[in-house]
Amino acid sequence: MWHRWSIARRLFLGNLLFTVVLTAAFAAVMVSDAGSRSYEQTRQRMLSVATSMADSPLAVAAAASPDPSAVLQPWARAAMGNAGVDFVTMMSPDGVRWTHPDPARIGGTYSGSIKQAQAGQAFVETTAGTLGPSVRAIVPIKDAAGTVVGMVSAGVTVHNVEVLAAARLPEVLGLAAALLLAGSLAAWTLGRYLKRVTFGWGPAELGQLFAYYESVLHSVREGLVLVDTGGTMVLYNDHAALLLGIDPAASPQLDALDLPGSLRELLRSGRTATDEVHLAGDRLLVVSQRPARAPGSSTPAGTVATFRDHTELTSLAGSLSSTQTLVEALRSQTHEHANRLHAIISLIELDRAGEALDFAAAELSESVRLGGESVGTLDEPFLAALLLGKRAQADERGVRLELTASGTMPPDRLDARDLVTLLGNLVDNAIDAAAGAGGTRGPAGPTVWVDLLVADGALTITVADNGPGLPTTDLDVLGRIGTTGKTSVVPGGRGYGIALIRRATAALGGTIIGENDGGAVMTAVVPLSDAAGPAAAGSPTGTAQATP
């Protein structure tokens, strides 16, 4: 049964037992010390009584008289009462008693040791005499010449000394009881504290719980981080170290760790977060954070954050988004071409072939011009088709799309899927913002500007609109899944656009910033150096991340 006891109960009983043993030992020492002190004080008192009587002229004169007992017996009995001693025995140098508490014993031989007194030295002993065990002092009586002419023995029985020592016993027991009470109170208080902090669990339960937690921390496939209120990372598991690149030898302080700024801010703030997207190097992490509270407490002791690696999932989502963007662009373009084809057929049916030919030639010229600019600049047919489709899509929503391009991009330097994801989502967001403004911003009505510039070994993509602008230029905030910078969300949209844009930019090894200048302005810079080769091969392993 004892192995089920809590740590608090074990500590209380252990401390109580220790206090009892300590108190008993302390009491025994005090009683022994009190007895020793009583015996020592008794010896000193007996020596003083015997010395004062031996030095008295009466004792010297009586020792020289023919009948010392006649003079000394009354004096000895009076001294016994005055000094509070049990006996005063005065004797000759040979040990023959001159006085005794029992007059019948006068003339008998003294039963104690007298050799030292006969030699002229006073001494104290504890021995058994005619009155029982006693503490006695024997002092020689000397005449003016220093000759021993008699001896004085004064003493008390051992029983009386023990009574004197026992008189201090209540004091000793009271002190021992106070010590026992104080120790028990301290043990009870500490036990209550331990019971509160350990929730009443025993050592075996705590050890088993620790083993379970260790197993979970090392086996779970999500990153787990615990941060206290002082900004110290007190615990993290293996997967968190892998995802965040934490060096085990580094300081656990958040400011000392090499973490992305948005993640450091989130962990330091302690705010509640649900499925927020953060870039960590070339990884896209979905982070949730909750306050850590002890059971029964409302005060947070820190925060616990979980990290899920959505890099591959987001890459697939980007590919799907690219495909959907191209499909939507082609659908809009097909719808626009169908309308124009109907117009041409109607003109021919109305026997107005010349006008039909002029209409078709003008449309063909515009398409060739736009397509030629895109293809000539980017040498990427997917982007050319995307921009042509986006133009048709913008026309459907009453937004004018203006495209400018300059420079020539070397072929096979960038991954086409990431480029389509990046440019397509930028243009989609701009069209949504401009269309939502209702054509009230500027005389030209809702307008989106797309500029593609290849120069200095980099492709610079600038997409601007005359919509209401970004609610914040912090892309860490706009990039969280479930948030959006649009004033009106398109049905089916969930705010994934910025997250996909930042992921595609990071996969291409580039950077992106957001600004407000009469509307939103998004600028992405993608390097065209050989270092971008891995991205071109479809494996986004670049270490650069999108910066807000």
Side-chain angles (χ1 to χ4, degrees):
M1 180 64 68
W2 65 271
H3 65 277
R4 295 184 179 179
W5 288 0
S6 66
I7 293 180
R9 177 178 293 184
R10 295 187 185 197
L11 178 67
F12 175 76
L13 292 178
N15 191 74
L16 182 61
L17 179 61
F18 173 76
T19 303
V20 169
V21 173
L22 181 64
T23 301
F26 182 71
V29 170
M30 289 192 65
V31 169
S32 175
D33 179 70
S36 298
R37 287 177 178 272
S38 296
Y39 272 90
E40 181 62 27
Q41 291 172 358
T42 300
R43 291 187 185 97
Q44 294 297 327
R45 189 163 65 88
M46 294 303 101
L47 184 62
S48 298
V49 172
T51 301
S52 63
M53 295 186 71
D55 291 344
S56 173
L58 178 62
V60 175
S65 67
D67 187 10
S69 297
V71 177
L72 297 177
Q73 177 69 6
W75 182 41
R77 294 186 67 86
M80 288 170 54
N82 294 333
V85 298
D86 290 336
F87 66 89
V88 174
T89 299
M90 305 181 76
M91 66 199 83
S92 68
D94 297 330
V96 177
R97 299 187 188 98
W98 291 336
T99 67
H100 194 276
D102 184 4
R105 295 183 180 274
I106 295 175
T109 303
Y110 181 73
S111 59
S113 175
I114 60 174
K115 290 182 178 181
Q116 289 178 285
Q118 289 174 333
Q121 296 179 356
F123 71 99
V124 180
E125 66 175 352
T126 301
T127 186
T130 58
L131 299 179
S134 61
V135 177
R136 61 185 67 183
I138 300 93
V139 179
I141 301 174
K142 299 179 181 180
D143 60 11
T147 303
V148 175
V149 295
M151 294 175 288
V152 179
S153 175
V156 295
T157 61
V158 171
H159 172 71
N160 288 336
V161 176
E162 290 175 346
V163 170
L164 180 62
R168 299 189 60 186
L169 190 60
E171 177 185 349
V172 173
L173 292 179
L175 185 59
L179 179 62
L180 179 61
L181 180 62
S184 301
L185 181 62
W188 179 80
T189 304
L190 185 58
R192 291 268 299 179
Y193 168 75
L194 284 177
K195 185 176 182 180
R196 185 173 69 254
V197 299
T198 61
F199 308 108
W201 290 338
E205 294 171 319
L206 289 175
Q208 190 177 44
L209 187 65
F210 177 78
Y212 288 157
Y213 282 179
E214 277 289 299
S215 300
V216 171
L217 285 175
H218 290 292
S219 61
V220 70
R221 295 301 299 167
E222 288 189 359
L224 181 66
V225 169
L226 274 69
V227 180
D228 65 12
T229 54
T232 301
M233 191 178 293
V234 296
L235 180 67
Y236 58 86
N237 65 349
D238 299 341
H239 206 58
L242 175 64
L243 295 178
L244 301 178
I246 300 176
D247 183 1
S251 170
Q253 292 292 329
L254 291 178
D255 293 336
L257 294 174
D258 186 17
L259 298 176
S262 61
L263 275 178
R264 183 180 292 108
E265 182 276 330
L266 172 63
L267 295 176
R268 186 190 294 113
S269 68
R271 60 180 173 82
T272 299
T274 302
D275 292 340
E276 291 187 2
V277 178
H278 293 265
L279 281 172
D282 60 343
R283 298 180 185 274
L284 192 65
L285 304 181
V286 177
V287 185
S288 296
Q289 181 169 266
R290 293 290 185 275
R293 292 186 176 91
S297 174
S298 59
T299 303
T303 57
V304 55
T306 58
F307 301 83
R308 299 193 304 275
D309 189 358
H310 275 212
T311 305
E312 294 184 3
L313 182 60
T314 308
S315 179
L316 293 176
S319 299
L320 178 60
S321 176
S322 301
T323 303
Q324 290 176 335
T325 297
L326 287 173
V327 169
E328 182 65 22
L330 292 174
R331 184 204 61 77
S332 299
Q333 191 173 11
T334 300
H335 183 265
E336 182 180 6
H337 286 320
N339 290 335
R340 292 175 180 176
L341 183 59
H342 284 304
I344 292 173
I345 293 174
S346 297
L347 287 174
I348 293 175
E349 289 177 349
L350 293 174
D351 199 17
R352 302 174 70 173
E355 295 179 7
L357 182 59
D358 292 340
F359 182 82
E363 178 61 24
L364 177 61
S365 175
E366 178 66 14
S367 297
V368 169
R369 183 186 66 81
L370 288 174
E373 289 180 356
S374 301
V375 174
T377 298
L378 300 177
D379 194 17
E380 181 55 66
F382 288 101
L383 291 187
L386 172 68
L387 292 174
L388 289 175
K390 288 301 178 185
R391 183 175 179 274
Q393 196 173 345
D395 289 341
E396 284 185 344
R397 302 187 60 185
V399 177
R400 187 175 66 176
L401 177 63
E402 294 189 1
L403 172 66
T404 58
S406 61
T408 302
M409 185 178 73
D412 300 328
R413 288 294 183 91
L414 300 175
D415 184 85
R417 293 172 302 172
D418 291 329
L419 278 176
V420 169
T421 300
L422 173 59
L423 183 57
N425 280 279
L426 284 175
V427 175
D428 283 341
N429 289 347
I431 292 175
D432 290 340
T440 59
R441 298 180 64 87
T447 305
V448 173
W449 295 270
V450 178
D451 179 68
L452 306 174
L453 171 64
V454 178
D456 299 327
L459 168 62
T460 302
I461 302 174
T462 304
V463 178
D465 61 73
N466 59 354
L470 297 172
T472 175
T473 57
D474 187 352
L475 299 190
D476 286 327
V477 176
L478 290 179
R480 296 169 189 163
I481 290 181
T483 64
T484 178
K486 304 172 185 177
T487 56
S488 61
V489 180
V490 179
R494 296 183 182 177
Y496 280 83
I498 295 295
L500 292 175
I501 289 169
R502 298 182 72 216
R503 173 67 189 95
T505 305
L508 294 169
T511 59
I512 185 167
I513 59 173
E515 300 174 298
N516 283 317
D517 185 11
V521 180
M522 302 292 293
T523 303
V525 179
V526 179
L528 299 175
S529 61
D530 293 338
S539 176
T541 59
T543 58
Q545 66 177 49
T547 57

